[in-house]
Amino acid sequence: MRIAEILGYDTEKIFNKLLEKLNGWLDILISNLPNFVLAIILLVSTIFIAKSIKRLSTTYIQRIGTNETISRFLGQLIYIGVLVLGIMLALSAMDLSKTVSSILAGLGIIGLALGFAFQDTAANFISGVYITFNQPYKIGDIIRTHDGHEGEVIDINLRVTKVRTYNGPIVYVPNRYLFQECFTNFTEFEKRRVQIECGVSYGEDLEQVEKIALEAAMNVTTRLKSEEPTLFWTGFGDSSINFTLNIWCAFNDNNKDFIPVRNEAIVTLKKAFDKNGITIPFPIRTLDFGIKGGTQLNKQLSGLSISPQNGSSNK
């Protein structure tokens, strides 16, 4: 009985304390209701204003001649800045100035911890900022990464660069690889050399072959007229003497496709060789029985007698 009384008393006491605490919170909520409503209004208004300012600032910055990537980056920074300012105002409206200071201090500590935990992400972010402002490449450029991915840059954000390959798939390349490793930008020079590798028979006149090949290259309609075609002999192959025919084409924002130039050059070169009787040989193997240390074929055959009955040969 004594225990029941003690438990009953404690339970009633705890219950009363809970009611007092809830009543206190309710009184605080009622007394701060105008501030709470004001904070909500400020927060919602800030989000709307931040989006509007981001859109207008991005458009204006791009209109004054800034690159699209930089204008989008600056617009995003402005959006984040306005949003943070609105959150601080909303907390101040609720008379939580000390809370704001505590939050800022906590964010600093959390940021330091996250910096160690996400070093790769931080490296991608810093690389993205560098790429955005230094612009070793921009949206629309054709690049090839250090591991062989080649295509058009369709987006640059603070973490990755999106590259659309020629076959269609999109490759997400972390910015730190494009910042730390070498890559190729095909668009920046605004020209590209198309190389046609070919070979001709050993019996051909090489000077005539070179003349005909260069004349054929001059007739390629899609080539860059300001650059003359060139031809370089590259070596003696198994069944042909090989050369490389070089043709330049425009490669910029208006023309990013070198494949039509290569296709037309191959067709034109083949037609010119056919017209002039120049042979592009198939793989050939020559059996030479007269090399040093061997027996010539005619001497080898002269020592054989062919039987007309069964086609067998005897020494």
Side-chain angles (χ1 to χ4, degrees), residues 65-71 127-139 141 156 183 185 188:
T66 307
N67 180 267
E68 179 184 356
T69 304
I70 296 179
S71 62
S127 301
V129 173
Y130 168 82
I131 291 170
T132 298
F133 286 95
N134 197 54
Q135 291 187 298
Y137 59 87
K138 60 183 185 298
I139 294 176
D141 283 0
I156 304 171
F183 68 92
N185 189 333
E188 186 174 4

Side-chain angles (χ1 to χ4, degrees), residues 98-218:
K98 295 183 179 179
T99 304
V100 173
S101 302
S102 300
I103 290 175
L104 291 177
L107 287 177
I109 297 174
I110 292 173
L112 183 62
L114 291 178
F116 286 104
F118 299 97
Q119 295 183 22
D120 291 342
T121 302
N124 288 326
F125 176 81
I126 296 174
S127 301
V129 173
Y130 168 82
I131 291 170
T132 298
F133 286 95
N134 197 54
Q135 291 187 298
Y137 59 87
K138 60 183 185 298
I139 294 176
D141 283 0
I142 303 296
I143 66 171
R144 180 190 295 147
T145 64
H146 70 286
D147 52 358
H149 298 296
E150 181 176 343
E152 180 181 359
V153 177
I154 61 173
D155 187 32
I156 304 171
N157 57 47
L158 295 180
R159 192 179 67 85
V160 298
T161 294
K162 297 181 183 179
V163 179
R164 182 172 58 206
T165 60
Y166 294 127
N167 294 329
I170 296 176
V171 179
Y172 290 76
V173 185
N175 288 331
R176 64 190 180 94
Y177 291 126
L178 295 172
F179 176 72
Q180 298 173 352
E181 303 289 342
C182 61
F183 68 92
T184 304
N185 189 333
F186 293 101
T187 310
E188 186 174 4
F189 186 53
E190 296 188 345
K191 299 178 184 178
R192 183 163 181 171
R193 188 173 69 175
V194 180
Q195 294 182 305
I196 310 298
E197 297 181 356
C198 188
V200 295
S201 171
Y202 274 86
E204 302 293 348
D205 184 346
L206 299 187
E207 293 181 351
Q208 182 187 11
V209 170
E210 183 173 352
K211 178 181 177 182
I212 294 172
L214 290 176
E215 289 177 352
M218 293 291 289

Side-chain angles (χ1 to χ4, degrees), residues 268-313:
T268 304
L269 183 63
K270 178 64 167 58
K271 288 182 178 179
F273 281 179
D274 291 344
K275 181 179 179 180
N276 292 274
I278 296 175
T279 302
I280 302 176
F282 296 101
I284 297 172
R285 293 292 181 269
T286 301
L287 303 179
D288 189 350
F289 292 88
I291 62 173
K292 185 177 181 180
T295 303
Q296 293 185 0
L297 181 61
N298 57 350
K299 293 182 179 180
Q300 184 72 19
L301 293 177
S302 65
L304 299 176
S305 59
I306 306 301
S307 174
Q309 287 81 8
N310 54 19
S312 62
S313 60

Side-chain angles (χ1 to χ4, degrees), residues 1-11:
M1 186 65 180
R2 178 66 178 172
I3 296 175
E5 290 178 356
I6 295 174
L7 291 176
Y9 174 77
D10 290 342
T11 303

Side-chain angles (χ1 to χ4, degrees), residues 58-109:
T58 301
T59 304
Y60 178 76
I61 294 172
Q62 189 172 357
R63 187 177 298 171
I64 62 177
T66 307
N67 180 267
E68 179 184 356
T69 304
I70 296 179
S71 62
R72 289 170 57 188
F73 174 73
L74 293 177
Q76 187 69 23
L77 285 182
I78 293 173
Y79 171 77
I80 295 174
V82 173
L83 198 60
V84 171
L85 179 61
I87 293 174
M88 296 303 172
L89 289 175
L91 292 175
S92 299
M94 296 179 65
D95 199 17
L96 297 175
S97 301
K98 295 183 179 179
T99 304
V100 173
S101 302
S102 300
I103 290 175
L104 291 177
L107 287 177
I109 297 174

